[in-house]
Amino acid sequence: MSEVRATQNEASFIEQPVVFKGEDDPALLKQIEALRLEVWGELVGTELAVKRFGLDPFDNKAWHVAYLDEGSVIASGRLIIATCQSDVPDLCSFGPYLDLMEYPTGFLNRLLVARMFRGRGMAPSLIRARIRLALEHGVTNLWAESQSHTVPSMEKHGFREVGPSLDKLIVGDWRVMRRNT
C-alpha cells in the first residue's frame, strides 16, 4: 500500500481558524505568545520580541483568531475592541490619531504566520476573519499598523492609510491604516 503525503504547498492546517477570547483559553494564548516570540525574535532579537510582542494586558480580553496544525498554533491575529481611549493599544502607534477614532473601535494587530506555513493564504484569511468578528461586535471603524510594502494588501481589505506610525521601536516604514465599517 502506498503512503500518501501532503506536498509543501498543500495545506495540512485546519480549514477554519479557531476564534476565542484570550481569557477563555490560556493554553492556546501561551502558544500564540511562543509563536510571536519565535517569529519576531528572528527579526528583532529575543529581548525586544519579549518586550514588544509577548503577552500584554490586552491579550486576555482580546479576540484571537488562529490557525492550528496538529493542535499547534501556526498563524494568529488579534482583535482588540476599544470602547474608550483608555482601551486603545499601542499608543506609541495610534496616539496621534485618537481624535479620529469613533467608539467602539477595533484594532487588528499581532498578525503572524510561522515561516514554514507562509504563502498559503492564512494572513489574508485572518484579516477577513477579524473584520467579520469586529462587524459582529458593532465596531464602527478598524485600525491597523502595516509595513509600507503591505499597504496595498491592506487596501484590498478596505483599509486606507492615515499616516505614519510614530513607533520607532521596530525598524521599518510602518503606516497606520483605518477602515470604516
Side-chain angles (χ1 to χ4, degrees):
M1 185 186 280
S2 64
E3 185 177 334
V4 177
R5 294 184 183 191
T7 65
Q8 187 173 3
N9 291 329
E10 292 180 57
S12 62
F13 55 89
I14 61 172
E15 292 184 22
Q16 294 296 316
V18 174
V19 178
F20 70 100
K21 279 201 123 171
E23 63 193 3
D24 294 337
D25 197 332
L28 206 50
L29 192 56
K30 288 302 282 182
Q31 282 192 44
I32 288 172
E33 179 183 38
L35 182 61
R36 285 181 192 169
L37 299 180
E38 174 188 324
V39 170
W40 281 102
E42 292 175 6
L43 299 171
V44 301
T46 304
E47 186 177 326
L48 184 54
V50 169
K51 178 179 180 181
R52 187 68 169 83
F53 300 106
L55 295 182
D56 64 30
F58 295 99
D59 277 307
N60 279 332
K61 297 291 182 191
W63 289 96
H64 298 269
V65 183
Y67 277 107
L68 307 179
D69 180 56
E70 298 180 6
S72 296
V73 175
I74 58 170
S76 73
R78 178 171 79 174
L79 167 65
I80 294 171
I81 299 175
T83 57
C84 62
Q85 282 189 359
S86 63
D87 294 341
V88 174
D90 302 327
L91 284 174
C92 54
S93 302
F94 299 110
Y97 307 102
L98 290 174
D99 290 341
L100 300 175
M101 294 179 187
E102 301 166 21
Y103 300 94
T105 192
F107 295 87
L108 304 187
N109 62 6
R110 305 297 191 269
L111 176 66
L112 59 132
V113 179
R115 180 179 300 280
M116 68 183 290
F117 291 95
R118 293 179 189 161
R120 300 182 189 192
M122 283 184 264
S125 174
L126 289 170
I127 293 168
R128 288 189 303 272
R130 291 179 296 155
I131 290 171
R132 280 192 305 273
L133 188 59
L135 292 172
E136 290 170 12
H137 286 86
V139 166
T140 57
N141 55 107
L142 287 165
W143 294 79
E145 194 174 13
S146 183
Q147 293 184 44
S148 59
H149 70 275
T150 61
V151 165
S153 173
M154 293 299 287
E155 288 174 338
K156 289 178 184 175
H157 296 285
F159 283 85
R160 297 293 171 251
E161 185 176 335
V162 178
S165 170
L166 298 183
D167 180 3
K168 301 303 178 200
L169 193 58
I170 305 301
V171 175
D173 182 19
W174 291 87
R175 315 306 295 171
V176 173
M177 310 288 293
R178 179 184 179 173
R179 179 186 194 273
N180 293 324
T181 56

